[in-house]
Amino acid sequence: MSSIYHGQLTVSIFGQSHAPAIGVTVDGIPAGETVDLEELQAFLARRAPGTGAWSTTRKEGDKPEVLSGLVQGKTCGAPLAAVIRNTNTRSGDYENLKDIPRPGHADYTAQVKYGGFQDVAGGGHFSGRLTAPLCIAGGICKQLLARRGIFVGAHIAAIAGIPDATFDPVGLEQSALQAPGEKIFPVIDDEAGERMQAAIAEAKAQLDSVGGVIECAVVGLPAGLGDPMLDGMENRIARLTFAIPAVKGVEFGAGFAVANLRGSQNNDPFYMDGDRVRTRTNHSGGILGGITNGMPLVFRAAVKPTPSIGQVQDSVSLSRKENTKLEIKGRHDPCIVPRAVPCVEAAAAIAVYDALLEQEKRREQP
Amino acid sequence: MSSIYHGQLTVSIFGQSHAPAIGVTVDGIPAGETVDLEELQAFLARRAPGTGAWSTTRKEGDKPEVLSGLVQGKTCGAPLAAVIRNTNTRSGDYENLKDIPRPGHADYTAQVKYGGFQDVAGGGHFSGRLTAPLCIAGGICKQLLARRGIFVGAHIAAIAGIPDATFDPVGLEQSALQAPGEKIFPVIDDEAGERMQAAIAEAKAQLDSVGGVIECAVVGLPAGLGDPMLDGMENRIARLTFAIPAVKGVEFGAGFAVANLRGSQNNDPFYMDGDRVRTRTNHSGGILGGITNGMPLVFRAAVKPTPSIGQVQDSVSLSRKENTKLEIKGRHDPCIVPRAVPCVEAAAAIAVYDALLEQEKRREQP
Amino acid sequence: MSSIYHGQLTVSIFGQSHAPAIGVTVDGIPAGETVDLEELQAFLARRAPGTGAWSTTRKEGDKPEVLSGLVQGKTCGAPLAAVIRNTNTRSGDYENLKDIPRPGHADYTAQVKYGGFQDVAGGGHFSGRLTAPLCIAGGICKQLLARRGIFVGAHIAAIAGIPDATFDPVGLEQSALQAPGEKIFPVIDDEAGERMQAAIAEAKAQLDSVGGVIECAVVGLPAGLGDPMLDGMENRIARLTFAIPAVKGVEFGAGFAVANLRGSQNNDPFYMDGDRVRTRTNHSGGILGGITNGMPLVFRAAVKPTPSIGQVQDSVSLSRKENTKLEIKGRHDPCIVPRAVPCVEAAAAIAVYDALLEQEKRREQP
Amino acid sequence: MSSIYHGQLTVSIFGQSHAPAIGVTVDGIPAGETVDLEELQAFLARRAPGTGAWSTTRKEGDKPEVLSGLVQGKTCGAPLAAVIRNTNTRSGDYENLKDIPRPGHADYTAQVKYGGFQDVAGGGHFSGRLTAPLCIAGGICKQLLARRGIFVGAHIAAIAGIPDATFDPVGLEQSALQAPGEKIFPVIDDEAGERMQAAIAEAKAQLDSVGGVIECAVVGLPAGLGDPMLDGMENRIARLTFAIPAVKGVEFGAGFAVANLRGSQNNDPFYMDGDRVRTRTNHSGGILGGITNGMPLVFRAAVKPTPSIGQVQDSVSLSRKENTKLEIKGRHDPCIVPRAVPCVEAAAAIAVYDALLEQEKRREQP
């Protein structure tokens, strides 16, 4: 247990920030599916650092090498394994993180859990860098979904309290869904995006960081995907989205706003749109009883401000058992929300493709 | 896949609202643990209907029968299985739910997924009644945790926009944690509770329903529970909490509010409290990198308003493929938030006990 | 982990010999499948005791009650749960089994594993009685397979060294496969069966017991079921067959005889039978690379002699840490091989149906 | 599902014979365990080809690279991933294997299952080469067990009908257990080994191959490892051993010979050896009710003769749907039994270490 999603697909993520490599195995993709590695590379580039002022200038060069599972660009039924080499290994001195944990990071909890044997370099297995293999798996699932007419997209819904426009939960089309992802700063409303970037720059100047919210949607979904109770679409997506280290909340459709709605407002009335059943509103986020209803699937994830900030912070020395101060060196993203956008898409794509594989099985029954 | 949580514990829920029984198997509890069935019954009573004006007067008599796994009140190492008989089976006529789905319910999505073979009576496997077996499993885990000094509690954080007081995320003690659960209407601030009950009564009079938020906390936790990435405490708790049918959002610590905080505000500074490492604030909800840090674990779940309302609603006839009206008969809770409080505790208890079992294994290594 | 098979189906067995009930949950059967409870009852009767001189006269009345998952005789997509009440609970005094373990039984190992908290009555969770829920799950799978033209059958291949005839591994037809199962003493060659029964009677008269071998086959299988490495048909069937307490060996096709064959003998040459690919011999038992090749799937299981015998045996007192004698009272089957025949069929049926569900998923891909 | 063992450890094997790499991830090893890579390399060398006349002279150079999970030679709690580069990729022309399947190989079954998209080069994911990653995982487990005083060893029990001596199932000591593994041709009785090698040479001269049996044992085991029913030591070991492509049978203790024994012979009487409970015989192979009893765990695996032989064989053309002849070119092991010996050890080591991790958890309970 730890870095494995086990459904129709088994997605198993490995690696540490400064180990020789990070990577992922994906077991369960049917044979004969095309994987476009250039398209995958373009998707990974959206997560890579150094693309904007809100990000570190460190260059990681997240170029995946597929070790197995593909023959001439098509899946062969065997597990797909892909790795990204870490070029930047063991360069710094991280040993003091075992003694003086950084607030907001996993240094202290990993020290307790692993008794000092954890890999502290660059955050080890807890590094945001581990979202790159998540994006490899998710990027592949995204491609496989797109070929079935199912599209996954996301945008920054808010940063530092500045809201973007929202996806139209009822009438969302593929083009509107994918438009933000084609921008360097993935928002719907570019003017709001500029204000967000200004807020990031201001925080950065003050050696601080800001958080935000990401909204993600899936369109083109058939009704009937997902399972009751523990394998509903909410369960699957939440479980995968919380794999992104900074996520602290996940909500579907109206989400926490349901607390202020009455049933007569929150219920989405059904109507016939030609032969198709649709709902007039979409407070459910396209999910009823854990199962897709064919409307856009819509959810949001809260992303905390980068815990690595340049200001002096209070911490403790675990060895001396006394209070102390800590100053984190190096360059860090003042806001990771933009880079987390494709990660949230990846989480959604894995969950949806997994549910699709399961449903295709059931539907085939005589 | 569907109604199974598979970790150190395997919790497998079965049953439909009007089947002969609902129940649960729990595999993986070590032998020799005491299970107090009276205490379990008292816990289940908190979920049972008919205890207040906000709830239906239907009497379910949720009395679990333990079929296996216990010998003279102690676990024997074999899977524990428990069932609750449904006394109220197949009484009504539910066949029209296959044709005219209720808004906000799983009628339509189940019809698509199961091709008309689903059990529609009383919502079948999608009924809120299936949270009773979840509470059996969770109630047992809660007992086992309490004997290790770990306590789980929850309260209504808001109903119809009316907020309760909140748990103190830093200094929460067992007594304050458990106080709401001893009340019929589980709030911290009884005056707020009265206003909530008035809001429920008002909605009920208008044949409507209201939603809310539940706050849950766990205290007495050791640091070091949970795993990185896909089996962090957030992943586990979210997956289990979304098993409660009406939940549409889950957030930890500051949750969605992190979007408005700076890193310097959101980071929780460490300090020494005698020999113990603590944090001065608790925006993380007691979880860093998916792993407990020893502070109170705090999360919230958004609960939608009961979709069953007495008002005439818009729906469709699936057979005739045309719009129609629907009026739901019978009595339904105008607000399920109070009854969902122990269900959220159950979800948390299963997740925490499962992580504890895993950690006990690792800690024992030489 | 312990009594759970987790594939496309999750089969979860619970109960102890003298607990209120034994039972099973089966999660993952698609909705709309017919389950014939009379046919299931007839299958279970083959496992029940008291049908012949080789068996105890104790009457168990293995009548399963389906608690959930069926609506009007068809699966509804929700987990199927069924239980068998134990009528004969806690009647005897079994506490001394914790002190003086029976040779060949799990008394000693359970005592060590569960620290004395195990349920000793009647063998607890280790009782052969737990194969009844296995037969419920397997009997249902057998029905679902038969409706797809896939048939599972088994016979006694040997008892006390007396061999039965064998299934024709190349030309086996449904009628020959199922003929033994329709007999009270399930052999191909009734004359051999009579000699076996005489050997059993002789052992019984001497307060002893005898073991044997069961041969099982599956015909009508499509090629292409199963997976490489850890989920091949051999892995699945072996894992499920070893769930039957007395089984000590499993072999496929030529099995251990491959050790004496050359490649030129053991390889099964392919040939065209009209449009169909077949093999002239079937040393592989119908499995190549873990995957079915469309020929009859054939395997054998070795079943040890009943460990409960009437003779005085050497054992120890765990409390006094000294050697002692043990005499087992009560009536016990002098040979469990006949009753184990349907259990082996059940194990095979679960494995094959699980692989079929998986394959149906993959085949449906565009 | 396919190449994953999912218990306390998750072992996930990937790669194809001629893909860029083969490899394995192992999730669940506690932090702080030492992994000796030189010792691992020496273990892998026992499986490597080219060490004797019975093996191909092809040099594979199975040198694993650990990509993650180790820090300065110790596990860090994150998944351990290791790969072996394939130097010999896509060199030949294997496309005709899709049309004319080799008898005894998975060519035909893979063609059906994967619809022609499987990787045929060198057998793809079905190649015996995939046992190298199994040996990486198993070799590491073997080390971790040895440090707890638990030792795994195996030897050739028979080749071409020529038997080796057997392990003493009652008094087996570490030195006798490990002696065969230190030899190039791992037998107990070197004279028998010479006759086996002569039989291999003779088969080779006749463009043929021979099969055999491997006996494996584990000593130093505590009583109490393993679980009832589906996760007993037999179930685990069988499932893992059948992952070795050529294995067609697995038996424990007396194995298939139980069919000829009476209960009074097969039951192993308990006696006190000082403070320790032991049995006078060991027909159970050290396992009762799926759980170790502290005696040597003993099992055997049947290994079929190499299906690749130089003789002309009958096969079919799948495209032309007609019978044809096939001649396999290249050099192949006339007997893979010697190289399979460490693979069987690896399977046993994974199963035992997994059960040990689980037991350590349970034992720690208060």
Side-chain angles (χ1 to χ4, degrees), chain C residues 50-243:
Chain C
T51 53
W54 58 86
S55 155
T56 69
T57 53
R58 188 165 47 113
K59 271 286 174 200
E60 289 180 7
D62 284 348
K63 201 166 166 53
E65 181 194 9
V66 176
L67 297 180
S68 68
L70 283 190
V71 177
Q72 295 174 338
K74 285 185 190 293
T75 56
C76 66
L80 190 150
V83 296
I84 297 173
R85 290 275 158 184
N86 289 325
T87 51
N88 193 7
T89 60
R90 312 278 158 214
S91 51
D93 178 12
Y94 290 93
E95 279 302 304
N96 68 324
L97 296 181
K98 291 188 182 174
D99 189 32
I100 305 176
R102 294 169 297 173
H105 277 281
D107 302 337
Y108 171 63
T109 55
Q111 174 73 15
V112 173
K113 184 175 184 74
Y114 301 114
F117 293 107
Q118 74 278 12
D119 186 355
V120 286
H125 192 60
F126 294 88
S127 166
R129 184 150 172 70
L130 270 290
T131 56
L134 185 74
C135 283
I136 294 175
I140 291 170
C141 291
K142 229 187 125 178
Q143 291 184 18
L144 303 181
L145 289 171
R147 264 176 240 127
R148 288 164 172 81
I150 301 170
F151 301 95
V152 181
H155 69 104
I156 300 169
I159 279 180
I162 302 160
D164 190 15
T166 63
F167 283 146
D168 172 4
V170 173
L172 185 61
E173 303 270 358
Q174 179 192 346
S175 56
L177 174 73
Q178 296 183 321
E182 289 159 9
K183 303 176 186 178
I184 288 179
F185 196 80
V187 288
I188 297 172
D189 174 354
D190 291 329
E191 189 275 327
E194 277 171 34
R195 285 191 291 133
M196 292 178 196
Q197 292 179 62
I200 296 171
E202 187 188 334
K204 185 181 180 182
Q206 295 167 4
L207 304 179
D208 215 336
S209 63
V210 288
V213 173
I214 292 166
E215 183 180 56
C216 183
V218 188
V219 302
L221 275 172
L225 302 192
D227 287 275
M229 300 212 72
L230 281 150
D231 281 311
M233 293 313 305
E234 288 112 334
N235 310 254
R236 293 172 193 245
I237 289 173
R239 189 176 170 215
L240 279 152
T241 303
F242 279 116

Side-chain angles (χ1 to χ4, degrees), chain A residues 214-286:
Chain A
I214 292 167
E215 183 180 54
C216 182
V218 188
V219 301
L221 274 172
L225 302 192
D227 286 274
M229 300 212 73
L230 282 150
D231 281 311
M233 294 313 305
E234 289 113 333
N235 310 254
R236 294 172 194 246
I237 289 174
R239 189 175 170 215
L240 280 152
T241 303
F242 279 115
I244 305 167
V247 170
K248 296 302 281 188
V250 173
E251 61 176 11
F252 294 83
F256 277 87
V258 295
N260 304 322
L261 296 175
R262 287 204 165 176
S264 58
Q265 298 167 304
N266 186 61
N267 283 354
D268 302 309
F270 291 109
Y271 75 101
M272 295 303 307
D273 182 12
D275 262 12
R276 218 179 127 211
V277 175
R278 290 174 53 85
T279 60
R280 294 203 187 275
T281 52
N282 189 8
H283 296 103
S284 77

Side-chain angles (χ1 to χ4, degrees), chain A residues 223-224 228 288-289 291-293 359, chain B residues 98 101 105-120 123 125-126 318, chain C residues 31 76:
Chain A
L288 290 169
I291 301 173
T292 57
N293 66 1
Q359 185 60 5
Chain B
K98 291 189 182 173
H105 278 282
D107 302 337
Y108 171 63
T109 54
Q111 174 72 15
V112 173
K113 183 175 185 74
Y114 301 113
F117 293 107
Q118 74 278 11
D119 186 355
V120 285
H125 192 60
F126 294 88
L318 297 173
Chain C
C76 66

Side-chain angles (χ1 to χ4, degrees), chain B residues 189-333:
Chain B
D189 174 355
D190 291 330
E191 188 275 328
E194 278 171 33
R195 284 191 292 134
M196 292 178 196
Q197 293 179 62
I200 295 171
E202 187 188 336
K204 184 181 181 181
Q206 295 167 5
L207 305 179
D208 214 336
S209 63
V210 288
V213 174
I214 292 166
E215 183 179 54
C216 182
V218 188
V219 303
L221 275 172
L225 301 192
D227 286 275
M229 301 213 71
L230 281 149
D231 281 311
M233 293 313 304
E234 289 112 333
N235 311 252
R236 293 171 193 246
I237 290 173
R239 188 175 170 216
L240 280 152
T241 303
F242 279 116
I244 304 166
V247 170
K248 296 303 281 187
V250 174
E251 62 176 9
F252 294 83
F256 277 87
V258 295
N260 304 322
L261 295 175
R262 286 202 167 179
S264 59
Q265 298 168 302
N266 186 60
N267 285 353
D268 302 309
F270 291 109
Y271 76 101
M272 296 303 307
D273 180 13
D275 264 11
R276 217 179 127 211
V277 175
R278 289 175 53 86
T279 61
R280 293 201 187 277
T281 53
N282 189 9
H283 296 104
S284 76
I287 305 169
L288 290 169
I291 301 172
T292 57
N293 67 2
M295 297 295 292
L297 190 162
V298 185
F299 70 101
R300 278 169 301 282
V303 179
K304 72 178 184 185
T306 321
S308 290
I309 56 174
Q311 299 179 19
V312 173
Q313 296 182 81
D314 287 338
S315 185
V316 294
S317 162
L318 297 173
S319 63
R320 298 188 312 260
K321 292 187 184 292
E322 64 183 31
N323 294 340
T324 187
K325 299 284 181 186
L326 173 74
E327 195 180 338
I328 300 174
K329 307 290 185 187
R331 306 178 71 121
H332 294 279
D333 291 10

